């Protein structure tokens, strides 16, 4: 079990699998065309690493470039524009995704609607389906590696862990990001008799992403990493947080078919795209204009106007007194507080089934929590 703890959390990472190797992504401009681009700079200085490490970084970067060249051109996959090498760096040039990571977008929004989630997941699954049709496994699907372009369309990036499988080939390496690791990756690293894992690990990660987008917190999480890994291996997660009350049974069904510990019965990308969660809305999403839709927009607009007018008449004046007495009861302020808390504490704020987010702002509650923490450690 010791090697389980050596995985690096790649979030915002400067770390590759091999320690001490760093890469950084910067915005840049093409001198001739003035086009704005992104460049991933990978350091390969002999001073900081051993000869063996140097070779490893070079081969793994070459592999990344090879995969990127194979997959570019798909509308939901990042385009590698160019790559070159100097004595001390390797440069990979990409089109610039100005709106950054899906991770940051989610942190800002806290949770996404089912509609927006559907749009993102459909594009992601189409990208995964394409990769798998080429026998490529991504192995590091997570919101940090899904980028948004100017129009808000997603593009899958970071092929640093990707490999192309030979027919019948199975993988054994322990790599990826802890919270997104499929159970069979963990089992395989602990059991030499395990047959190894394959493409299915990407669909597990898609399940984790889908859950996270809707709940605002990940399905598998524990303060102690070992315990988190155990819940993953057992496939233990729950739809108990309040967000799930308003979510459809259809999407819960899809999640439960992706987060299946047995990879042989887990949905494939193609099957997932055929799930009712996507199928039942296909027509609506495609047909942007229809008389029925226009009529509905009209009705909704009229109702909204009526509601606004009556609110305006009933509105309580927002006094300093109300604000001081119970700020969390005011909808606008509540959203603001939640947003701030989320930005500071990240996804784990809302973890723990009964956690009331208002409690974060009551110091007494915090002391109780601290007491508990002392107790169980
Ligand atoms: P790493 O292997 O270090 O995770 P990534 O390729 O994932 O490297 O890049 C790290 C981060 O850099 C991404 O999570 C993203 O925030 C940013 N980034 C990468 N490529 C682009 C791009 N084309 N446009 C904008 N930001 C990017
Ligand atoms: Mg990354």
């Amino acid at each position: 079990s010791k090697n389980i703890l050596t995985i690096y959390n790649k979030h915002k990472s400067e770390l590759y699998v091999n320690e001490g190797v760093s890469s950084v992504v910067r915005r840049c401009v093409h001198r001739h065309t003035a086009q704005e681009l992104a460049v991933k700079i990978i350091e390969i200085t002999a001073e900081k690493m051993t000869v063996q490490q140097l070779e490893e970084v070079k081969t793994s970067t070459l592999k990344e470039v090879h995969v990127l060249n194979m997959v570019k051109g798909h509308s939901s996959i990042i385009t590698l524009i160019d790559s070159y090498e100097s004595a001390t760096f390797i440069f990979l040039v990409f089109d610039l995704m100005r709106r950054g990571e899906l991770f940051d977008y989610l942190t800002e929004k806290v949770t996404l609607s089912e509609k927006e989630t559907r749009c993102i997941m459909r594009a992601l699954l189409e990208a995964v389906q394409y990769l798998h049709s080429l026998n490529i496994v991504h192995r590091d699907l997570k919101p940090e590696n899904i980028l948004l372009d100017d129009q808000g369309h997603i593009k899958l990036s970071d092929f640093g862990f990707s490999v192309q499988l030979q027919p019948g080939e199975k993988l054994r390496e322990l790599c990826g990001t802890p919270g997104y690791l499929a159970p069979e990756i963990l089992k395989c690293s602990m059991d030499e008799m395990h047959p190894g894992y394959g493409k299915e690990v990407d669909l597990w990660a898609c399940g984790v992403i889908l859950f996270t987008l809707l709940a605002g917190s990940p399905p598998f999480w524990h303060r102690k990493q070992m315990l988190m890994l155990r819940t993953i291996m057992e496939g233990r997660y729950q739809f108990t947080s309040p967000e799930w009350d308003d979510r459809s049974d259809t999407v819960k069904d899809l999640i439960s078919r992706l987060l299946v510990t047995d990879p042989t019965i887990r949905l494939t990308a193609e099957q997932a795209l055929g799930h009712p969660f996507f199928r039942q809305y296909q027509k609506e999403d495609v047909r942007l204009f229809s008389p029925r839709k226009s009529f509905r927009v009209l009705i909704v607009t009229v109702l909204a106007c009526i509601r606004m007018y009556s609110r305006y008449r009933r509105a309580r004046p927002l006094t300093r007194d109300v604000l001081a007495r119970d700020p969390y009861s005011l909808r606008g302020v509540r959203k603001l507080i939640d947003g701030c808390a989320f930005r500071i504490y990240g996804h784990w704020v809302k973890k723990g089934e009964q956690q009331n987010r208002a409690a974060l702002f009551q110091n007494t509650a915090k002391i109780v929590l601290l007491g508990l923490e002392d107790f169980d450690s």
Side-chain angles (χ1 to χ4, degrees):
S1 67
K2 195 177 149 235
N3 63 8
I4 285 186
L5 298 171
T6 58
I7 327 161
Y8 298 109
N9 190 335
K10 287 228 312 166
H11 170 225
K12 305 275 189 196
S13 74
E14 257 100 63
L15 283 175
Y16 262 77
V17 216
N18 16 12
E19 206 175 352
V21 179
S22 62
S23 82
V24 67
V25 177
R26 293 267 157 81
R27 208 162 63 122
C28 63
V29 175
H30 192 288
R31 286 216 183 115
H32 301 302
T33 62
Q35 190 187 3
E36 276 193 301
L37 300 160
V39 60
K40 184 167 176 173
I41 307 166
I42 298 139
E43 204 173 346
I44 41 165
T45 36
E47 296 158 27
K48 289 191 191 164
M49 44 182 120
T50 64
V51 179
Q52 195 201 346
Q53 276 178 327
L54 206 100
E55 282 312 307
E56 273 171 27
V57 179
K58 279 191 181 174
T59 38
S60 83
T61 308
L62 278 180
K63 224 160 108 186
E64 185 172 347
V65 170
H66 180 65
V67 173
L68 280 163
N69 279 321
M70 269 194 289
V71 300
K72 71 179 170 194
H74 190 280
S75 61
S76 300
I77 296 180
I78 195 91
T79 310
L80 177 71
I81 292 172
D82 199 2
S83 64
Y84 50 98
E85 190 178 329
S86 76
T88 44
F89 298 103
I90 301 175
F91 301 88
L92 308 186
V93 184
F94 298 97
D95 42 357
L96 180 65
M97 299 289 111
R98 281 197 186 73
R99 295 225 201 149
E101 302 171 11
L102 177 61
F103 181 89
D104 293 321
Y105 180 68
L106 179 64
T107 306
E108 189 186 311
K109 289 258 201 148
V110 186
T111 61
L112 303 186
S113 68
E114 273 190 40
K115 194 173 169 192
E116 204 169 4
T117 303
R118 179 178 305 116
C119 203
I120 292 169
M121 288 307 297
R122 181 179 283 141
L124 175 62
L125 285 163
E126 279 167 1
V128 172
Q129 184 185 22
Y130 178 64
L131 295 180
H132 288 186
S133 75
L134 300 171
N135 271 324
I136 295 168
V137 197
H138 186 283
R139 295 205 287 185
D140 203 14
L141 297 178
K142 57 178 174 179
E144 292 89 325
N145 288 336
I146 297 169
L147 308 178
L148 300 166
D149 69 9
D150 295 346
Q151 287 84 42
H153 293 141
I154 66 142
K155 283 196 199 278
L156 181 55
S157 80
D158 196 354
F159 288 77
F161 284 147
S162 302
V163 280
Q164 188 172 34
L165 296 177
Q166 300 307 312
E169 187 187 349
K170 287 282 182 184
L171 300 163
R172 304 200 60 89
E173 258 174 302
L174 175 62
C175 73
T177 305
Y180 300 84
L181 289 176
E184 64 268 27
I185 303 182
L186 296 167
K187 284 176 189 159
C188 167
S189 73
M190 291 190 297
D191 172 12
E192 275 159 31
M193 302 303 284
H194 193 281
Y197 63 88
K199 294 184 235 181
E200 304 85 6
V201 298
D202 283 345
L203 283 127
W204 175 275
C206 286
V208 177
I209 295 170
L210 174 55
F211 184 107
T212 309
L213 295 181
L214 292 170
S217 56
F220 307 101
W221 192 88
H222 197 281
R223 201 161 38 88
K224 295 181 178 142
Q225 188 165 286
M226 273 313 290
L227 296 184
M228 180 190 80
L229 297 178
R230 194 183 299 163
T231 59
I232 292 176
M233 282 193 283
E234 290 164 5
R236 209 149 30 83
Y237 67 95
Q238 290 171 321
F239 293 122
T240 46
S241 76
E243 280 77 16
W244 292 108
D245 297 345
D246 314 326
R247 303 300 188 190
S248 68
D249 289 335
T250 320
V251 77
K252 289 181 194 169
D253 182 75
L254 175 57
I255 293 171
S256 67
R257 287 169 196 273
L258 290 168
L259 297 181
V260 185
T261 51
D262 180 356
T264 59
I265 51 175
R266 195 176 301 151
L267 294 187
T268 63
E270 201 160 5
Q271 288 167 339
L273 284 164
H275 188 274
F277 178 62
F278 297 109
R279 235 181 20 220
Q280 73 191 1
Y281 288 96
Q282 222 145 27
K283 276 190 207 128
E284 258 192 21
D285 286 354
V286 176
R287 269 179 31 188
L288 281 175
F289 302 104
S290 71
R292 225 181 109 185
K293 202 162 177 177
S294 310
F295 182 68
R296 222 170 53 198
V297 170
L298 182 76
I299 297 287
V300 169
T301 314
V302 171
L303 286 176
C305 288
I306 295 173
R307 209 178 311 146
M308 259 183 332
Y309 181 67
S310 67
R311 280 240 180 116
Y312 164 75
R313 296 201 41 177
R314 272 190 295 132
R316 282 182 298 159
L318 177 61
T319 60
R320 196 177 278 263
D321 180 48
V322 176
L323 202 61
R325 203 169 351 110
D326 189 8
Y328 203 75
S329 70
L330 302 167
R331 198 150 164 253
V333 182
R334 183 163 61 233
K335 267 206 112 160
L336 190 75
I337 292 175
D338 284 359
C340 291
F342 212 69
R343 207 161 297 160
I344 296 169
Y345 295 104
H347 285 114
W348 49 268
V349 176
K350 304 200 317 160
K351 211 49 202 182
E353 291 83 79
Q354 279 82 39
Q355 186 166 342
N356 172 6
R357 281 208 277 165
L360 278 171
F361 304 93
Q362 298 161 0
N363 290 326
T364 45
K366 255 190 188 159
I367 293 164
V368 173
L369 281 175
L370 282 175
L372 280 176
E373 201 156 290
D374 279 346
F375 189 68
D376 76 15
S377 60

